[in-house]
Amino acid sequence: MFKDATRSQINKTLTAAHAAFADYKQTTPQQRAAFLRTIATEMEALGDDLIHTAMSETNLPYPRLIGERGRTTGQLRLFADLITEGSWCEAYIDTAQPDRQPLAKPDLRKMLVPIGTVVVFGASNFPFAYSTAGGDTASALAAGCPVVIKAHPAHAATSAMVATAVAKAIKKHKMPKATFQHVFGASQKVGKDLVQHPLTAAVGFTGSFAGGKALFDIANKRPVPIPVFAEMGSVNPVVLLPEIMSQNPDGLAKALAASATLGMGQFCTKPGLIFTQNTEGGKKFAQTLGESMAAVDPQKMLHVGIASAFEQKSTVATCQNGVTLLGKSPKAAETGVGLPQVAVVSGAEFLKNSTLHQEVFGPYALVIQCDSKPQLLEIITHLEGQLTASVFGNDSELVDNQDIIKALENITGRLIFNGVPTGVEVAGAMQHGGPFPASTDGRFGAVGPSAIKRFARPVSFQNCPESLLPDALKTANPLGIWRIVDGVFQK
Amino acid sequence: MFKDATRSQINKTLTAAHAAFADYKQTTPQQRAAFLRTIATEMEALGDDLIHTAMSETNLPYPRLIGERGRTTGQLRLFADLITEGSWCEAYIDTAQPDRQPLAKPDLRKMLVPIGTVVVFGASNFPFAYSTAGGDTASALAAGCPVVIKAHPAHAATSAMVATAVAKAIKKHKMPKATFQHVFGASQKVGKDLVQHPLTAAVGFTGSFAGGKALFDIANKRPVPIPVFAEMGSVNPVVLLPEIMSQNPDGLAKALAASATLGMGQFCTKPGLIFTQNTEGGKKFAQTLGESMAAVDPQKMLHVGIASAFEQKSTVATCQNGVTLLGKSPKAAETGVGLPQVAVVSGAEFLKNSTLHQEVFGPYALVIQCDSKPQLLEIITHLEGQLTASVFGNDSELVDNQDIIKALENITGRLIFNGVPTGVEVAGAMQHGGPFPASTDGRFGAVGPSAIKRFARPVSFQNCPESLLPDALKTANPLGIWRIVDGVFQK
C-alpha cells in the first residue's frame, strides 16, 4: 500500500521544499501561528477515524491515543503562542556610536532565522506526538522551516491521515504547497537518501540508538554536515536512598512498577535501572516490585518487531551472570505481547558487565543492590548519558547525599526528586534531551518551546536600513517582543 | 624549547581537568568573575615584554598587538560582567499545580550548566584574542568549564607567558590548579589525542578549514561524539550595486583595498570576493582597486608557512582561466612577505570554476564582473557558507535588490550594509560564525557574550527541594537575574 520513495522522488521533494522555504520564511509569525492552529483543528476534525486507525496500527489503547492527540494539538498551539509572543527569536540590538574613539561603533542587530528544510522521522512509540504533526514538525514549522516527514512504517496509514490534515491547513492559509511533504520509506535507504540530500538542513529523529546514530553518522559525512537531533535510548536510573526505602518499600515498589510498565514500558523515560542498597527495606522493595510487575496485565506491544526485540533483549539481560528474576508475568507468551518482568543484580556484577547498562525497550527493569555508597557513586560515574535520573530520599538524606545528586546531574538532562521519570511535562522549564547517547546533542531538547531553537540560527544585520530590517529588529519594536537593547532586557 | 605533549601527558592533563571540574563548577559566578578580571590584570601586568615576545613570534606590529591585548582583556571583563549579571543561564521556572486534572503538574526549573572540560586550540592570527586567554578560553571559564589550551606552535612563547598570567590568577583566587592547563604541540597528533580523550567535552578552534574539519571528524568518530566549534575559512563576498558604484567607484575601491590588506589580509573577515557589474563605474572601480592594492606596503606575514601558502594559493588563483591581475605590489618577493594583489574574472568564468570560490588567506581579493543581476543571483546561490556578506547600495537600490540581500542572508552569519567586513565588534548583537564551512556549527558564534552558550547545556530540576536548587533557580531569585517564570519574563 505504501511504497518507498525513490531517490528521484526524494530529490523532487527536497527541491520543492527548498523553493517553498524562500516564501515560507517570509511569512509573519501571525500567519504561521494561524497555520499551526488550523493543523490542530484539522487533526481534531479527523475524529475517531484517526484514533481507530492508530489503534489498529499501534495496539495502543483508545484513551492513550485520545490523550496523545490532545498533547499533539496542544503542542501545535503552544508553538503558535510562542511565535505570536515572539521573544523566542532572541533579538539583540546594539545601537551605533558614530563618535566612539578610536573607531565608530556600527549599528548591530541580531535574531534567529530559520535554517532551511527539516527532515523529520516519525517515532514508532508516539504515532501523534512525535510523528507526522508532532513536536519536531510543529517546532520546525513554527521557526519558518519547511518539513519533510518520513512516515514511520509501523503506522503509515495514521501518518497519511494526519498529513491530510496538514495539507488542508496549507490550502486554507495559502502556504506554499511544499511547506510540508510526506514520504514513505520502510527501508533504511530512504532515510539515508533524505539525510544525504544537499537541500536538507537539519534532521529530527526519535527512536533507537542504532537508528539515530546511523543518521548522525551519515549527516556528519556529508560535504556540508548538518545537525541531527536524535533522541535515542535511555535507561533512566532511579536511586532509592536507604531511609526513605526503610519507611516505604511497598509504596516505592508499586510506584516504580507502574512507571516501568506504563504503556507497556514503551517510553523513552521508562525507569530501566533502579539502585537500592542491600538492606531490609531494599529486600522488601525487591519482593514487592517483583510481585507488582508480575501482576501487570501483559499487552500487545507497538508492533511485532518491537515485541520480538523485547523478548530477545530481556532474555539476554536476565541470563547474565549474577542476574536473578524477581518477578515476571505468568501469562503464556503470545506473539506481539510483552511480558512485564524485573530482575536483580549486585552492584559488583553490574559494574563488571556493560550489557546490563543497556536499554531493554519494553516492560523490563533491573534492580541493582549496592553494597555501599562509594560503590553506588562509582556506578553512577560509569553510566552513559541519560534523558532523566531520579532520586528518592527524605529531606535530610537528600541533603546528606549531594555527592550522589551531583553525579546524577552530570549524566542527565532532567533530574527528578521523589518522582518517577515517566510523564514528560510539555513546559518551558522541561529539558528532554541528555548527554550522548541519550541524545546526539544534549544542548537541545525535543519537548516544550525550547525545541524551536534546534531549527534556527542567528544572523546579525550591520547598519541595515530601518525599512529592510525584519520586524523583530525594527527600532519601534512593532512586534512588542522582549529584546536586549544595549545590554538591557526590554519590551 | 617547547616539546610536544605525549599521550600520557595528555591523559594526565585531562584527568586533572576533570577532577578540577567537580570543584570549579561549584564556584559562584562572582568568584569566577573575579578570577576572569584577575587574568585580565595579570595579562596587562606582563607589559611590553609580552608585546615584544608576540611581535618577534608573529611579525605583527606593536600598535596592533596593544590593541589586540586590549580586546582580549576587554573580553575577559565582558564575560565577568555577563556572569555577574547572570541572566545568560536561561533560567526557566514552571511552578507546580498539585491540583491539576487529570495529572498534577510538577515543579520544573531549568538552567544552563557547564558541559565539562573544553580544549581550545590557539589561533595563529590572533595570538591574544583567540589564543591562550582569548575568547574561547574566557567564555569556557566563565561558563564553569576547565580549559586545556594547545598553544599555537607559531607563538608558543607568547602563549606560555599568557599562561603564567592565568596561573597567577588561579593561585590568587584559590581555584583548582587544573582549571587551566597549557600544552604544546606542533604535530597534528597532539590535537588528535586531545580531541579523542574521553574526558574532553568540547573543542574551540579558530584556523584553517583543513584543521577545523579534521578535528570535527575526529570528534564525531569518538564513541561519545563531542561538539567542535571551529571557526574556519570565509571569503566574505561583497556586492557593489551599480548606482552607488557609478557615484563613487574610487571611494569604494579605496575602502575595499584597505579592508582586504588590513593586517596583511590575515583576518577571517577579509573581503575575498567583490562582485561588481560590467559598467563604466565597475571598470573605474577595478582600476582604482588594482592601483590601491599594488600601492600597499608589503609586510611580513604571521609566519613563513603562511607566507608560502599565500604565495602558492594566490599564484594558483591568478593562473586560472579568464583571471587577469588588476594590480600587485611591485616590490621584490622576499621570504615571509606577502605581496598585496587583486585580480578580476567574469561572472561566467567564476561560476564554472570552484577553485575561484576558495579562500586565499592573505592580502588577495578577486573582483567578479557580472553580466546581469540574474547571473549575480545565481552565483550567490552557489556560494558556500560565509562568516560575513556585505552589500553596498544607495537606499533606493537596496530596496530594489531585496532578492540579492535575501540570497546573501541565506549564506551568512552577518550581513553588512555599506561597510567592510573587517572590524568585528565584540557585542551582544554580533554573530561571528556562519553556515558550514565558515563554521562547523553556524548556530553558535565565537565573538561576544553569546559565545558562552557553546559550553553549557540545559538541565531540568523536577520537584527539587528549595535548599538543593542552584541559586539561579531558587524561588527568591537571590541572584536577581532575568528568568521566565510561568511563561513571564521577570527579575
Side-chain angles (χ1 to χ4, degrees):
Chain A
M1 180 176 176
F2 298 107
K3 276 195 186 159
D4 278 18
T6 62
R7 184 170 291 179
S8 135
Q9 284 167 335
I10 287 171
N11 184 42
K12 269 189 200 163
T13 303
L14 269 304
T15 305
H18 190 67
F21 180 47
D23 294 326
Y24 187 61
K25 74 177 288 203
Q26 301 304 326
T27 55
T28 65
Q30 286 68 23
Q31 288 171 321
R32 291 200 300 282
F35 170 47
L36 291 169
R37 289 186 216 281
T38 302
I39 297 174
T41 50
E42 290 293 346
M43 214 176 141
E44 285 158 351
L46 292 170
D48 269 7
D49 278 1
L50 177 65
I51 305 296
H52 290 300
T53 303
M55 284 171 72
S56 73
E57 287 192 314
T58 65
N59 300 313
L60 292 171
Y62 184 86
R64 149 72 194 266
L65 288 168
I66 289 287
E68 189 181 328
R69 184 173 63 187
R71 174 173 168 176
T72 309
T73 54
Q75 286 173 165
L76 286 158
R77 291 178 178 120
L78 177 151
F79 284 108
D81 290 346
L82 182 77
I83 59 177
T84 305
E85 194 277 331
S87 307
W88 77 274
C89 71
E90 299 180 8
Y92 280 79
I93 297 180
D94 287 308
T95 52
Q97 295 175 13
D99 303 330
R100 190 185 63 175
Q101 293 302 327
L103 284 171
K105 184 178 175 184
D107 181 277
L108 270 174
R109 300 175 189 228
K110 179 172 75 169
M111 67 178 288
L112 296 176
V113 303
I115 46 169
T117 300
V118 176
V119 168
V120 174
F121 288 78
S124 69
N125 63 340
F126 278 101
F128 301 143
Y130 281 86
S131 288
T132 323
D136 290 343
T137 297
S139 53
L141 290 177
C145 299
V147 167
V148 173
I149 170 102
K150 190 187 88 61
H152 196 285
H155 56 254
T158 304
S159 193
M161 279 184 82
V162 175
T164 63
V166 186
K168 279 186 188 165
I170 285 178
K171 205 166 173 187
K172 183 168 173 194
H173 292 275
K174 299 190 177 64
M175 292 293 175
K177 206 176 158 200
T179 299
F180 174 90
Q181 296 175 91
H182 191 243
V183 301
F184 297 102
S187 85
Q188 292 178 358
K189 186 178 170 299
V190 174
K192 189 175 175 184
D193 287 347
L194 285 166
V195 177
Q196 281 182 334
H197 196 282
L199 294 175
T200 300
V203 176
F205 171 91
T206 304
S208 69
F209 175 76
K213 182 61 162 52
L215 297 180
F216 175 80
D217 288 343
I218 291 166
N220 282 319
K221 281 178 197 145
R222 290 167 44 118
V224 174
I226 53 171
V228 170
F229 301 97
E231 199 262 83
M232 306 181 291
S234 189
V235 285
N236 305 297
V238 175
V239 172
L240 304 173
L241 295 173
E243 205 177 289
I244 199 168
M245 179 71 106
S246 71
Q247 292 164 353
N248 189 20
D250 290 345
L252 289 170
K254 284 171 188 167
L256 283 161
S259 176
T261 57
L262 186 70
M264 276 293 104
Q266 298 168 117
F267 289 114
C268 46
T269 53
K270 181 205 71 177
L273 299 179
I274 301 166
F275 295 93
T276 70
Q277 293 188 326
N278 218 343
T279 58
E280 278 311 302
K283 283 172 198 160
K284 184 78 188 73
F285 168 84
Q287 190 193 333
T288 308
L289 184 66
E291 292 163 6
S292 305
M293 295 277 285
V296 172
D297 198 23
Q299 303 289 335
K300 278 202 171 178
M301 297 188 72
L302 288 159
H303 57 84
V304 288
I306 285 187
S308 68
F310 173 69
E311 168 66 19
Q312 188 252 328
K313 284 200 173 178
S314 58
T315 304
V316 168
T318 49
C319 287
Q320 299 296 304
N321 215 18
V323 174
T324 313
L325 211 53
L326 283 171
K328 180 176 178 177
S329 167
K331 300 275 172 81
E334 215 181 307
T335 307
V337 171
L339 296 178
Q341 55 199 284
V342 58
V344 65
V345 72
S346 70
E349 283 294 341
F350 182 81
L351 259 178
K352 280 191 282 187
N353 187 347
S354 65
T355 300
L356 297 174
H357 300 211
Q358 287 163 23
E359 185 182 17
V360 178
F361 189 79
Y364 173 85
L366 180 66
V367 175
I368 300 98
Q369 279 177 337
C370 295
D371 294 333
S372 65
K373 184 170 155 179
Q375 187 184 56
L376 173 59
L377 259 178
E378 191 188 352
I379 290 175
I380 294 171
T381 311
H382 284 87
L383 288 178
E384 294 180 312
Q386 306 290 338
L387 288 171
T388 76
S390 306
V391 58
F392 286 78
N394 292 331
D395 285 358
S396 63
E397 69 182 335
L398 288 174
V399 171
D400 292 342
N401 286 281
Q402 290 188 58
D403 44 1
I404 287 176
I405 293 170
K406 292 288 168 202
L408 288 172
E409 182 191 318
N410 280 341
I411 59 162
T412 196
R414 177 164 56 116
L415 186 58
I416 302 157
F417 295 78
N418 292 314
V420 296
T422 46
V424 181
E425 189 70 26
V426 179
M430 171 54 69
Q431 168 60 7
H432 188 70
F436 191 94
S439 312
T440 42
D441 192 340
R443 292 166 307 154
F444 293 87
V447 172
S450 62
I452 197 173
K453 301 286 171 89
R454 300 174 297 170
F455 304 127
R457 67 179 181 90
V459 171
S460 284
F461 298 81
Q462 182 169 325
N463 290 336
C464 180
E466 184 75 22
S467 70
L468 297 180
L469 281 169
D471 285 349
L473 297 178
K474 286 194 161 81
T475 303
N477 195 10
L479 300 179
I481 61 177
W482 283 98
R483 313 192 289 190
I484 299 185
V485 181
D486 292 326
V488 179
F489 262 104
Q490 54 184 258
K491 200 165 182 170
Chain B
M1 179 178 178
F2 299 107
K3 276 196 186 159
D4 278 16
T6 63
R7 184 169 291 181
S8 134
Q9 285 168 333
I10 287 170
N11 184 43
K12 268 190 202 165
T13 303
L14 269 305
T15 304
H18 189 67
F21 180 48
D23 295 326
Y24 187 60
K25 72 177 290 200
Q26 302 303 330
T27 55
T28 64
Q30 286 67 24
Q31 289 171 320
R32 291 201 299 283
F35 170 48
L36 290 170
R37 290 186 217 278
T38 302
I39 297 175
T41 51
E42 290 294 346
M43 214 177 141
E44 286 158 350
L46 292 170
D48 269 8
D49 277 2
L50 177 65
I51 305 295
H52 289 300
T53 303
M55 283 172 73
S56 74
E57 286 191 314
T58 65
N59 300 313
L60 291 171
Y62 185 86
R64 149 73 194 265
L65 288 167
I66 289 287
E68 190 182 325
R69 183 174 63 188
R71 174 174 168 174
T72 309
T73 54
Q75 286 174 164
L76 287 157
R77 293 178 177 121
L78 176 151
F79 284 108
D81 290 346
L82 182 78
I83 59 178
T84 305
E85 192 279 330
S87 308
W88 77 274
C89 70
E90 299 180 5
Y92 280 79
I93 297 179
D94 287 309
T95 52
Q97 296 175 13
D99 303 329
R100 191 185 62 174
Q101 292 304 325
L103 285 172
K105 184 178 175 183
D107 181 279
L108 271 173
R109 302 176 189 227
K110 180 171 76 167
M111 67 178 289
L112 296 176
V113 304
I115 45 170
T117 300
V118 176
V119 169
V120 174
F121 288 78
S124 70
N125 62 340
F126 278 100
F128 301 144
Y130 280 86
S131 288
T132 322
D136 290 342
T137 298
S139 53
L141 291 176
C145 300
V147 167
V148 174
I149 169 104
K150 190 187 89 60
H152 196 285
H155 57 253
T158 304
S159 192
M161 279 184 83
V162 175
T164 64
V166 185
K168 280 186 187 166
I170 285 178
K171 205 167 175 185
K172 184 169 171 191
H173 292 277
K174 299 191 176 63
M175 292 294 174
K177 207 176 159 201
T179 299
F180 174 91
Q181 296 175 91
H182 192 243
V183 302
F184 297 101
S187 85
Q188 293 178 357
K189 186 178 171 299
V190 175
K192 190 176 176 182
D193 287 347
L194 285 165
V195 176
Q196 281 182 334
H197 197 282
L199 294 174
T200 300
V203 176
F205 172 90
T206 304
S208 69
F209 174 77
K213 181 62 163 51
L215 298 180
F216 175 81
D217 288 342
I218 290 165
N220 282 318
K221 281 178 199 148
R222 289 166 46 119
V224 174
I226 54 171
V228 170
F229 301 98
E231 199 263 83
M232 306 182 289
S234 189
V235 285
N236 304 298
V238 174
V239 171
L240 304 172
L241 294 174
E243 203 177 289
I244 200 168
M245 180 71 107
S246 72
Q247 290 163 353
N248 189 20
D250 290 346
L252 290 170
K254 284 171 188 166
L256 284 162
S259 176
T261 57
L262 187 72
M264 275 294 103
Q266 298 168 118
F267 288 116
C268 45
T269 52
K270 180 205 73 177
L273 299 179
I274 301 166
F275 294 92
T276 69
Q277 292 187 327
N278 217 343
T279 57
E280 277 312 301
K283 284 171 197 161
K284 184 78 187 74
F285 168 84
Q287 190 193 333
T288 307
L289 184 66
E291 290 164 7
S292 305
M293 295 277 284
V296 172
D297 198 24
Q299 302 287 336
K300 276 202 173 178
M301 296 186 73
L302 288 159
H303 58 84
V304 288
I306 284 186
S308 67
F310 172 69
E311 168 67 18
Q312 189 253 327
K313 284 201 173 177
S314 57
T315 304
V316 167
T318 50
C319 287
Q320 299 296 304
N321 216 17
V323 174
T324 313
L325 211 55
L326 282 170
K328 181 176 179 177
S329 167
K331 299 275 171 80
E334 217 182 304
T335 307
V337 172
L339 296 179
Q341 55 199 285
V342 57
V344 65
V345 72
S346 70
E349 283 294 340
F350 182 81
L351 259 177
K352 280 191 283 188
N353 187 346
S354 66
T355 301
L356 297 174
H357 300 209
Q358 287 164 21
E359 185 182 17
V360 177
F361 189 79
Y364 172 85
L366 178 66
V367 174
I368 300 98
Q369 280 177 336
C370 295
D371 293 332
S372 65
K373 186 171 153 180
Q375 187 185 56
L376 173 60
L377 259 177
E378 191 188 352
I379 289 175
I380 294 171
T381 311
H382 284 87
L383 288 178
E384 294 179 310
Q386 305 289 339
L387 289 171
T388 76
S390 306
V391 57
F392 285 78
N394 292 330
D395 286 356
S396 64
E397 70 182 335
L398 288 174
V399 171
D400 293 342
N401 286 281
Q402 290 189 56
D403 44 0
I404 287 176
I405 293 170
K406 291 288 168 200
L408 288 172
E409 183 190 317
N410 280 340
I411 59 163
T412 196
R414 178 164 55 116
L415 185 58
I416 302 157
F417 293 79
N418 291 315
V420 297
T422 47
V424 180
E425 191 69 27
V426 180
M430 173 54 68
Q431 168 60 6
H432 189 69
F436 190 94
S439 311
T440 42
D441 192 340
R443 291 167 307 154
F444 293 88
V447 172
S450 62
I452 196 173
K453 302 287 171 89
R454 298 174 299 171
F455 304 127
R457 67 178 180 92
V459 172
S460 284
F461 298 81
Q462 182 169 325
N463 290 337
C464 181
E466 184 75 23
S467 70
L468 296 179
L469 280 168
D471 287 347
L473 297 179
K474 286 195 160 84
T475 303
N477 195 9
L479 300 180
I481 61 176
W482 283 97
R483 312 191 290 190
I484 298 185
V485 181
D486 292 326
V488 180
F489 263 104
Q490 53 184 256
K491 201 169 182 168

